Amino acid sequence: MSRSILHMLSPLKHMSPFDVNMAADAGFDVVVPYTNVTLEEVTGLVQDAIFSRAPNDGKRTGIFIAGKKAGLALDMLDAAKKAFVPPFELNLFADPAGSFTTGAALVAVVAKALRDKHGTDLKGKRVVIFGGTGVVAYCAAVLAALERATAVIAGHDGVQRVAGIAAEMKERFGVTVEPADGSSRAASEAAVRDADIVLSAGPAGVNILDASQVAAVKNLLIAADVNAVPPAGIEGVGVMAKAEPFNGSKALAIGALTIGNVKYQTESGLFRRMLETDKPLAFDFRDAYAFARDVAG
């Protein structure tokens, strides 16, 4: 059998050691990072990879797309697909900053808690996501909208940038996501006032909502936080919380390590699928969500 080779492309100065470790531990024989890769260079790199091996070896060859921007990663994934010359193809997996799999895990764990503890689902729920300019929030918002929730992304620097991101989501995926202002205490309180679900996907070590702000959200069913670095993004949500009673109400808390466990299994599992497949595959955060839902149970 031919050796399994993973080419890891990043537009940044460095490839994430986290992702390199994940790929190696999943079982790839050869893992090669490429940095400072531009969108225009993707076609040439992909075609170098496919034409240097027999068509049947495409299933043993992969391209991983890293970085820190959702839109660029999706554009690079699309460029890679367009570079194929059938029967010369290979496996593709986009997960910039590990955030596609994190966003997928976040929504999968929330969906499970809704089903198991509240007997409901995401349809019709108002989901407010802080860290709205980041990739995790991007994925979570699109996935929630695809599940027919009312998704809202709140921006720490106001509404302008998140409004542009919401417009991009509409163009790419045909979903409606509402922008909100999260630039001040008062603005954040207004953003979550009618929320059923509040998700914190902001920077590590930054408190976004304190306990009194969360207590004021009368319809709150779930508060989930992807931040494992103190202080918590949502005060009172412990990193180990696994759909536990929260704030003396019907609300449930989901912590970063609970989400992270599903994220880890999802990224590792998608790498293994690339190694086990009989035909080339392509993964973005929607594929990660389907996998994460199975992991979450």
Side-chain angles (χ1 to χ4, degrees), residues 156-176:
H156 73 281
D157 55 356
V159 76
Q160 184 174 353
R161 279 210 296 161
V162 288
I165 292 168
E168 179 192 328
M169 294 172 181
K170 179 72 172 180
E171 183 177 353
R172 284 185 187 272
F173 302 104
V175 297
T176 298

Side-chain angles (χ1 to χ4, degrees), residues 86 101 157 233 250 263:
T101 47
D157 55 356
K250 64 182 177 180
K263 176 267 187 305

Side-chain angles (χ1 to χ4, degrees), residues 77 104 143 266 270 273 282-292:
L77 182 65
L143 292 170
T266 299
L270 292 177
R273 280 192 177 176
F283 302 133
D284 66 15
F285 63 86
R286 292 166 293 183
D287 307 288
Y289 179 55
F291 193 99

Side-chain angles (χ1 to χ4, degrees), residues 5-7 9 32 34 37 40-55 57-58 60-63 79-80 82-85 88-92:
I5 303 174
L6 183 67
H7 304 279
L9 314 185
V32 185
Y34 304 73
V37 177
E40 292 74 22
E41 292 172 324
V42 171
T43 296
L45 290 168
V46 169
Q47 291 183 347
D48 271 359
I50 60 176
F51 291 141
S52 58
R53 310 191 89 181
D57 288 334
R60 302 286 291 166
T61 315
I63 295 283
K82 291 177 179 176
F84 293 164
V85 183
F88 292 93
E89 301 180 5
L90 46 67
N91 292 297
L92 300 171

Side-chain angles (χ1 to χ4, degrees), residues 39-289:
L39 176 60
E40 292 74 22
E41 292 172 324
V42 171
T43 296
L45 290 168
V46 169
Q47 291 183 347
D48 271 359
I50 60 176
F51 291 141
S52 58
R53 310 191 89 181
N56 193 52
D57 288 334
K59 65 187 181 185
R60 302 286 291 166
T61 315
I63 295 283
F64 179 84
I65 298 170
K68 285 192 174 180
K69 294 183 178 179
L72 179 57
L74 292 167
D75 287 343
M76 293 176 83
L77 182 65
D78 187 53
K81 292 176 181 176
K82 291 177 179 176
F84 293 164
V85 183
F88 292 93
E89 301 180 5
L90 46 67
N91 292 297
L92 300 171
F93 181 9
D95 194 15
S99 296
F100 279 8
T101 47
T102 300
L106 171 60
V107 179
V109 171
V110 167
K112 174 179 170 57
L114 283 173
R115 182 181 69 247
D116 293 352
K117 301 296 182 69
H118 289 302
T120 186
D121 56 26
L122 284 161
K123 182 181 178 181
K125 305 299 185 296
R126 187 170 182 82
V127 182
V128 180
I129 309 160
F130 289 88
T133 60
V135 184
V136 174
Y138 186 106
C139 300
V142 173
L143 292 170
L146 289 172
E147 293 282 20
R148 295 182 289 176
T150 298
V152 182
I153 50 173
H156 73 281
D157 55 356
V159 76
Q160 184 174 353
R161 279 210 296 161
V162 288
I165 292 168
E168 179 192 328
M169 294 172 181
K170 179 72 172 180
E171 183 177 353
R172 284 185 187 272
F173 302 104
V175 297
T176 298
V177 173
E178 297 180 14
D181 185 1
S183 62
S184 68
R185 181 182 178 90
S188 296
E189 290 172 356
V192 299
R193 185 173 294 123
D194 298 320
D196 299 292
I197 299 162
V198 176
L199 308 179
S200 175
V206 176
N207 176 245
I208 294 173
L209 295 173
D210 65 29
S212 65
Q213 290 173 297
V214 179
V217 185
K218 301 303 182 184
N219 296 324
L220 188 65
L221 297 176
I222 292 176
D225 188 355
V226 301
N227 175 27
V229 178
I234 301 175
E235 187 178 5
V237 176
V239 295
M240 299 292 293
K242 191 175 183 179
E244 299 170 0
F246 172 68
N247 235 22
S249 69
K250 64 182 177 180
L252 304 172
I254 300 175
L257 296 187
T258 297
I259 298 161
N261 179 52
V262 175
K263 176 267 187 305
Y264 181 93
Q265 293 184 65
T266 299
E267 183 173 350
S268 179
L270 292 177
F271 276 136
R272 290 195 303 272
R273 280 192 177 176
M274 292 169 72
L275 289 164
E276 296 164 357
T277 185
D278 290 327
K279 60 182 181 179
L281 302 169
F283 302 133
D284 66 15
F285 63 86
R286 292 166 293 183
D287 307 288
Y289 179 55

